Amino acid sequence: MLNQLSDSLLTGNADAVASLVKQAIDQKLDPNNILNDGLIAGMTVVGQKFKSHEIFLPDVLIAAKAMNAGMEILKPLLVKEGIPSIGRIVIGTVQGDLHDIGKNLVGIMLKGAGFEVIDLGKDVAPETFVEAAIENEAQIIGLSALLTTTMPVMKKVVNLATEKGLTGKIKIIIGGAPTTSDYANEIGADAYCYDGINAVDCARRILGVA
Amino acid sequence: MARQAQESFRSVTKPVGVVADIRKNGIKSIYHGDGHNESPAPLEAIIDQSSQLALYAVTVGENVSDEISRLFAEDEFAPAAMLDAAASQGAELAAQQVEHSVRQQLKASNRWITGHETMSFSPGYCGWHVSAQRKLFEHLNPQEIGITLTDSCLMQPLKSISGVIVTGPRRIFSFDDNYAFCDQCKNRSCRERMKAIHTDK
């Protein structure tokens, strides 16, 4: 059944995913297995196919919608049984920047991979990023910027996190059109991610998730 | 889905634009902006060789951004992303239409010189720092068509384009994409733009 669930994700069949998750719960399957071996396993294949150009962004997003349909049913059970997500990430577009399509796509990909995502939206102040990360006990802060004029805000977030003694405790990843790996190094961020799937890989690597 | 995005785009947008001629000294001041440009850069090298210059700004409006946000909020991720792409393309087409209009006006007023071409440049690209938007907005006043500028030089509505349309001899629009800032560029759209310029229309 879990293979069927994964396959339904691949085809983006939200109704089938929701129905199969219900069936799996009715059959008393472990919610953790439904999540990991059904939903996340399916989205992992989606990510691999995207990386190898077998499918394209709309296919990934259709699969992500199906994943959400399954998660809506499964999430209450995961919460009830105290099953933690594989990681908690605070994301947002930095202060002064209102571009959020890239940030939204990263959030969708991270959720699809099983991360808990706290999306702070756009035009987010450095203090808000750091406070939200502390308050939610997030392991990662994800920063997005599309303008060279707003990129320096990323450095402010890194500096603020350092001032608060969060270096090493909360990792900071960055992305967006003008950002680069060199820029991430320059400002002391932990990683640069070039797209949503790469952000998932970065987050997994940072948290040591297989 | 692409067709749906196009239809959705058409139903929620009404492209508008503004264009105004500008002299070489005027564009030099705008180009300089706050003094953050890369140098050398393509535009700085061709201003003096141009025959006509026009500032412009276009937008496809705020409604489309609202619709994209609504689709994302309703988990309609793929239609949202497709509409976003359609809106970006729509803004590009609107900018191209303005460039076409500039050419037509020059021809209609017998100011078009055979062998000349047009190419547009925008703050934020090709070594022209985005902070130059402030001076461009001071001269052009695109607020009158609903485009405003944030403190970080971001245009609102988001799907807007501004810049300068340079008219001049075709030869001046030939650049090697090996400026220092080209290393950071992820689209290299200049290649297609130059190809279009050097193809007889």
Side-chain angles (χ1 to χ4, degrees), chain B residues 62-82:
Chain B
E62 194 65 62
N63 288 352
V64 71
S65 298
D66 293 342
E67 179 64 6
I68 293 163
S69 298
R70 185 189 69 77
L71 288 168
F72 268 119
E74 292 179 2
D75 281 5
E76 295 292 346
F77 308 134
M82 296 291 276

Side-chain angles (χ1 to χ4, degrees), chain A residues 58 61-62 64-65 68 96-99 101 104-105 108 147-150 176-180 192, chain B residues 1 68-69 72 74-78 80-82 84 129-131 150 152-154 156 158 184 186:
Chain A
L61 297 175
I62 290 167
K65 185 187 174 188
N68 274 9
D97 209 328
L98 301 174
H99 294 95
I101 179 95
N104 289 346
L105 296 178
I108 290 163
L147 298 170
T148 49
T149 45
T150 55
T179 61
T180 60
Y192 157 70
Chain B
M1 191 177 288
I68 293 163
S69 298
F72 268 119
E74 292 179 2
D75 281 5
E76 295 292 346
F77 308 134
M82 296 291 276
D84 188 273
H129 198 267
V130 73
S131 57
T150 66
S152 53
C153 297
L154 177 72
Q156 287 187 287
L158 272 186
Q184 305 292 327
K186 290 169 186 167

Side-chain angles (χ1 to χ4, degrees), chain B residues 84-125:
Chain B
D84 188 273
S88 295
Q89 187 63 25
E92 290 287 347
L93 288 172
Q96 286 174 23
Q97 186 58 46
V98 170
E99 188 175 339
H100 178 72
S101 298
V102 166
R103 295 164 62 94
Q104 293 305 111
Q105 281 176 13
L106 288 172
K107 284 174 183 171
S109 58
N110 294 319
R111 289 185 293 157
W112 181 257
I113 301 167
T114 304
H116 279 211
E117 279 296 345
T118 57
M119 187 180 267
S120 72
F121 294 83
S122 295
Y125 298 89

Side-chain angles (χ1 to χ4, degrees), chain A residues 88-147:
Chain A
R88 195 173 293 146
I89 305 181
V90 165
I91 65 167
T93 304
V94 299
Q95 195 167 46
D97 209 328
L98 301 174
H99 294 95
D100 63 354
I101 179 95
K103 180 266 297 171
N104 289 346
L105 296 178
V106 166
I108 290 163
M109 304 296 181
L110 288 168
K111 277 184 194 171
F115 290 92
E116 188 180 341
V117 177
I118 295 123
D119 187 345
L120 301 177
K122 51 197 175 186
D123 195 16
V124 181
E127 297 77 16
T128 309
F129 276 112
V130 173
E131 284 163 14
I134 294 170
E135 192 181 322
N136 292 287
E137 297 178 346
Q139 294 101 330
I140 297 174
I141 296 174
L143 307 172
S144 172
L146 197 81
L147 298 170

